[in-house]
Amino acid sequence: MMLQRKNGLRAVAAGALVVSGLLALTACGSDDNSGSSGGDASKQAGNIKCEGKGSLLASGSSAQKNAMDLWVRNYTAACGDTQVNYKATGSGAGIQEFLQGKTAFAGSDSALKPEEVTASKEVCTDSQAIDIPMVGGPIAVGFHVGDLDKLTLDAETLAKIFDSKITNWNDEAIKKLNPGAKLPDLKIQPFHRSDESGTTDNFTKYLKAAAPSAWPHEPGKAWEAKGGQAADGSAGVSSQVKQVNGAISYFELSYATSGSIPTVDLKTGAAAPVQATTENASKAISEAKIVGKGKDLALQLAYDTKAEGAYPITLVTYEIACEKGNKADTLQATKSFLTYLASEDGQSVLKERGYAALPPEIATKVRETVTALS
Amino acid sequence: MSETTPQHENPPPPDGIRTTGADAPGDLPRAPLAEARGTGRIGDKIFLGLSRGAGVTLLVIMAAIAGFLAIRASHALSANEGNFLTTFTWDANANPPVFGIAVLLFGTVVSSIIAMALAVPIAIAIALFITHYAPRRLSGPIAYVIDLLAAIPSIVYGLWGGLFLVPHLEGLYKWLDDYLGWTKIFAYHDGAARSLFTVGILLAIMILPIITSVSREVFRQVPRMHEEAALALGATRWEVIRMSVLPFGRSGVISASMLGLGRALGETMAVATVLSPSWDIVPSVLDAGGGTFAQNIASSFKEASGDMGKDALIASGLVLFVITLVVNGAARLVIARRKEYSGANA
């Protein structure tokens, strides 16, 4: 069954190359069950350069899992000879497996730490591991206040809410930011992640950078503040927001979209409050500085940006591979796969899963770096 | 193997290990074993070797687990900058690591106590109903349904608890707060009911089938003569249960409860799904917060990193291991004391 489907898809891919005019027809005619994006898969197939064979193992960040699933599906549809297997084990475990030489590359929510770079010299012959930014995404702040569907907050109010300093939805500070909104007398129930997470890391970094006086805690993967409730995983916190009246929490935008949870517009200092959308996140990422040395493209995000339409609570996840000295048997496949991810096609499909495409200037650098991998 | 059984009184396998070398002479019931070893039949030798091997393997596995836990834990403990027993935080990934089990110990013990307090009386009542009150036609299906509860995976209990139980408990908690709020233990300050008490209720439901089915079997073993004797003395049905069934079954019920407690102490996914963990001890069991050993391991393991991240979790696992051993040991002591006058040796 599997085999048949794969062959079917490969046939579609071949068809795309030969008679691109008939593409739409073939795609519709095949028994591809991947839904509306099935057409996408075969369209991308035409531009993917397949190299290498066999299975490509990778693991790491669960924040980029949905993007990876989509990419892997598109890629294997075009390159049937390569089986890409991405396990969302969490960034920590992913980096560890990469450093032990078990995987071809790792996905991570944060750039490598200096000691991890040092450790990477063992797997990367005569070289070291580098960070390649690949997926960006807005971290939405979802809320559940009766049937209110629009709410504007600024960094300081947000920080005070999550620090349990503002505890009622009809607080003056919230009222001032939302003139005209009907704010009920309801206890605010802020939810944070109980597990360590890159989402928490980025969210607290934002609070610290944009509202240093209101957020006294150290940013990090583990939640440091007291008060509020905790739940496991993005799925856990978003389902709590859906369930509990008065709740507010932070998670990747895709969870808000799929759960139809309204999200907070941020007052950043720009002319108008900024909505949590993938385009606005891309704009904020383009404000980021590259702080990695040499080929390393680690980014420093501008959390306190006031740029027009830039949504500052963003997350950038990296792929981590060796600059030189990647394992010979998987090098070709790794390069081919990463080239697809960084390509226009690879980046443009991200939107449908709630991720933000890399801004052009960073994407160009990423492509250069990937091409130079050896 | 079955050919040899009629000729010798087949000793249960564990005896084969206990008697090795030490006490071949002496007490009568053991004599056939010595004889069996002497016949030199191949079947006997193979069986002896197999059963002895099985017993030894079990001990080796236990020792290996304990050794592994102890070694990894000692790494973490020697690097720990905080006090392992009194620190209210878990920064095991940091360098240097600071972590302590105070919150976990408290949460594990409290949630298990709540679970036992709720589950044991209900389980005994169900077991008594099945064995002594229910008509035969009804007792079979009830027992079957109870056993079925044990087959539900714990993550399913967790999802049910998180999505159904939690929103429906708020009313109960408000009621408890109204009448018992002054005790501070049952105070409730609004918020989603994702507390240790909710965990206790969920665990109670999860351990109910184990305790019920073992108790049921024990109550079935009560010698008919005991009950009839009590009836002959003019006892009512409740008095029969009180005078002959419960004393006879007491050690069995304690063993059953320990099995249940074992599951409650170690339950992972259901707790991680339902509890809202925090690193402080909340005075009220109805308010969200706290944590348990297994829940913390499940939540923290994915992102455990650094030199000590995983070892620290293993150290907390070792504590859970020790708690389980202590609890089981205590239960055995109780059972051993009861045995003499209950007449239950099974």
Side-chain angles (χ1 to χ4, degrees):
Chain A
M1 188 60 197
M2 274 287 280
L3 207 64
Q4 269 174 8
R5 221 172 76 72
K6 220 184 297 156
N7 284 339
L9 283 172
R10 206 185 300 168
V12 172
L17 284 169
V18 182
V19 263
S20 55
L22 290 172
L23 173 76
L25 272 177
T26 3
C28 295
S30 75
D31 60 350
D32 183 2
N33 61 0
S34 49
S36 58
S37 47
D40 272 346
S42 33
K43 190 169 69 205
Q44 306 313 331
N47 297 321
I48 297 176
K49 218 171 129 215
C50 301
E51 270 173 57
K53 269 186 191 174
S55 74
L56 189 57
L57 288 181
S59 64
S61 159
S62 49
Q64 52 172 283
K65 166 120 194 358
N66 288 337
M68 269 298 170
D69 286 350
L70 186 65
W71 279 333
V72 167
R73 201 186 66 201
N74 288 353
Y75 184 81
T76 40
C79 310
D81 288 340
T82 312
Q83 295 302 318
V84 187
N85 188 351
Y86 182 84
K87 279 185 295 179
T89 50
S91 305
I95 291 177
Q96 224 157 44
E97 287 190 351
F98 173 74
L99 292 180
Q100 290 163 356
K102 289 182 191 158
T103 49
F105 65 92
S108 173
D109 294 338
S110 46
L112 290 168
K113 297 186 199 105
E115 63 264 27
E116 288 166 342
V117 174
T118 317
S120 74
K121 286 175 180 160
E122 278 187 25
V123 271
C124 307
T125 328
D126 302 329
S127 181
Q128 60 188 37
I130 51 170
D131 304 295
I132 309 167
M134 205 56 96
V135 196
I139 299 172
V141 181
F143 62 93
H144 180 171
V145 187
D147 41 16
L148 196 69
D149 58 359
K150 207 162 165 47
L151 187 71
T152 305
L153 295 174
D154 58 12
E156 198 175 323
T157 323
L158 211 50
K160 283 181 179 160
I161 287 175
F162 277 95
D163 202 21
S164 307
K165 294 282 183 319
I166 295 178
T167 55
N168 199 301
W169 282 109
N170 65 8
D171 192 279
E172 284 306 318
I174 306 176
K175 271 188 187 161
K176 228 169 77 187
L177 288 163
N178 296 278
K182 264 196 206 154
L183 292 160
D185 174 15
L186 180 69
K187 188 182 162 177
I188 301 181
Q189 295 194 40
F191 278 87
H192 56 263
R193 294 277 293 269
S194 61
D195 50 337
E196 296 201 2
S197 144
T199 319
T200 304
D201 192 29
N202 280 277
F203 184 66
T204 48
K205 272 181 188 156
Y206 161 76
L207 292 178
K208 188 79 189 167
S213 57
W215 189 254
H217 311 285
E218 276 310 304
K221 288 184 160 193
W223 188 259
E224 294 285 338
K226 298 279 175 214
Q229 289 210 13
D232 192 48
S234 290
V237 284
S238 60
S239 71
Q240 288 302 321
V241 172
K242 190 120 183 93
Q243 194 175 313
V244 178
N245 193 13
I248 183 166
S249 186
Y250 56 92
F251 33 79
E252 287 86 14
L253 181 64
S254 55
Y255 289 91
T257 320
S258 63
S260 12
I261 298 167
T263 60
V264 168
D265 295 347
L266 280 183
K267 204 174 157 200
T268 56
V274 190
Q275 249 188 318
T277 64
T278 53
E279 288 87 1
N280 293 349
S282 287
K283 262 180 223 155
I285 297 171
S286 66
E287 305 280 318
K289 270 200 312 242
I290 295 178
V291 291
K293 292 191 194 88
K295 289 283 179 197
D296 191 295
L297 295 177
L299 297 178
Q300 184 170 23
L301 294 169
Y303 294 110
D304 52 355
T305 177
K306 292 185 172 59
E308 214 54 47
Y311 182 82
I313 321 181
T314 47
L315 169 92
V316 171
T317 69
Y318 301 91
E319 313 307 334
I320 287 166
C322 295
E323 187 187 344
K324 291 194 189 95
N326 282 293
K327 273 182 286 175
D329 49 340
T330 50
L331 174 67
Q332 288 309 318
T334 308
K335 273 179 81 168
S336 152
F337 183 64
L338 292 182
T339 305
Y340 163 60
L341 306 197
S343 68
E344 298 253 329
D345 297 325
Q347 291 291 316
S348 66
V349 295
L350 285 176
K351 234 170 70 175
E352 64 180 84
R353 293 288 164 97
Y355 293 102
L358 293 172
E361 56 273 38
I362 294 177
T364 318
K365 289 229 172 69
V366 167
R367 277 168 219 150
E368 280 167 19
T369 307
V370 170
T371 322
L373 289 180
S374 62
Chain B
M1 245 191 287
S2 55
E3 290 158 30
T4 60
T5 39
Q7 284 152 16
H8 312 288
E9 283 177 43
N10 209 22
D15 277 8
I17 305 152
R18 251 186 277 152
T19 50
T20 42
D23 56 350
D27 46 353
L28 268 173
R30 295 275 155 82
L33 179 67
E35 210 175 274
R37 217 180 280 159
T39 58
R41 292 200 187 178
I42 289 199
D44 282 345
K45 278 188 179 158
I46 292 176
F47 186 72
L48 178 69
L50 280 178
S51 56
R52 188 182 286 172
V56 170
T57 311
L58 180 75
L59 290 178
V60 169
I61 291 174
M62 283 296 284
I65 292 176
F68 167 79
L69 288 177
I71 291 170
R72 295 290 295 265
S74 69
H75 287 191
L77 290 181
S78 58
N80 188 6
E81 290 285 306
N83 184 320
F84 186 59
L85 293 176
T86 57
T87 305
F88 279 55
T89 179
W90 195 270
D91 274 337
N93 296 344
N95 197 10
V98 180
F99 56 90
I101 55 162
V103 173
L104 304 179
L105 186 61
F106 177 82
T108 306
V109 171
V110 167
S111 61
S112 299
I113 289 176
I114 295 169
M116 296 300 282
L118 293 172
V120 172
I122 297 176
I124 293 176
I126 296 175
L128 283 176
F129 177 74
I130 291 174
T131 51
H132 288 82
Y133 286 93
R136 190 169 280 275
R137 211 180 304 150
L138 207 61
S139 69
I142 293 178
Y144 178 73
V145 169
I146 297 276
D147 287 347
L148 214 58
L149 276 180
I152 300 175
S154 57
I155 184 68
V156 175
Y157 276 109
L159 290 174
W160 174 79
L163 297 176
F164 179 84
L165 194 60
V166 168
H168 287 81
L169 278 176
E170 282 170 31
L172 171 70
Y173 285 8
K174 283 199 178 111
W175 182 83
L176 277 172
D177 182 49
D178 284 347
Y179 292 94
L180 295 169
W182 54 271
T183 58
K184 300 286 179 222
I185 299 173
F186 291 104
Y188 177 54
H189 304 89
D190 292 333
R194 304 168 69 238
S195 59
L196 287 177
F197 197 79
T198 311
V199 169
I201 293 175
L202 192 66
L203 289 177
I205 298 170
M206 295 177 71
I207 62 179
L208 198 61
I210 304 176
I211 306 180
T212 307
S213 27
V214 178
S215 305
R216 190 186 69 213
E217 291 313 311
V218 173
F219 292 152
R220 280 222 176 102
Q221 306 287 323
V222 177
R224 195 83 197 126
M225 298 299 269
H226 286 206
E227 289 180 42
E228 279 169 9
L231 284 171
L233 288 172
T236 63
R237 196 183 276 189
W238 163 238
E239 282 166 338
V240 170
I241 288 173
R242 225 181 46 199
M243 282 161 40
S244 65
V245 179
L246 287 182
F248 181 89
R250 190 164 287 145
S251 61
V253 170
I254 293 173
S255 313
S257 307
M258 288 310 121
L259 276 180
L261 182 58
R263 185 169 185 192
L265 286 171
E267 181 46 48
T268 308
M269 280 327 288
V271 182
T273 320
V274 165
L275 186 68
S276 160
S278 70
W279 286 101
D280 46 5
I281 288 178
V282 187
S284 162
V285 290
L286 300 185
D287 279 334
T292 74
F293 284 111
Q295 168 269 324
N296 179 49
I297 294 175
S299 302
S300 309
F301 192 76
K302 276 178 287 184
E303 294 287 334
S305 62
D307 297 336
M308 289 303 146
K310 288 203 166 65
D311 287 359
L313 292 173
I314 288 171
S316 75
L318 180 66
V319 177
L320 187 58
F321 191 76
V322 171
I323 292 177
T324 319
L325 279 184
V326 169
V327 164
N328 272 318
R332 286 200 166 270
L333 276 182
V334 175
I335 293 168
R337 267 207 1 241
R338 295 279 177 199
K339 221 184 239 174
E340 298 148 22
Y341 54 92
S342 73
N345 289 319

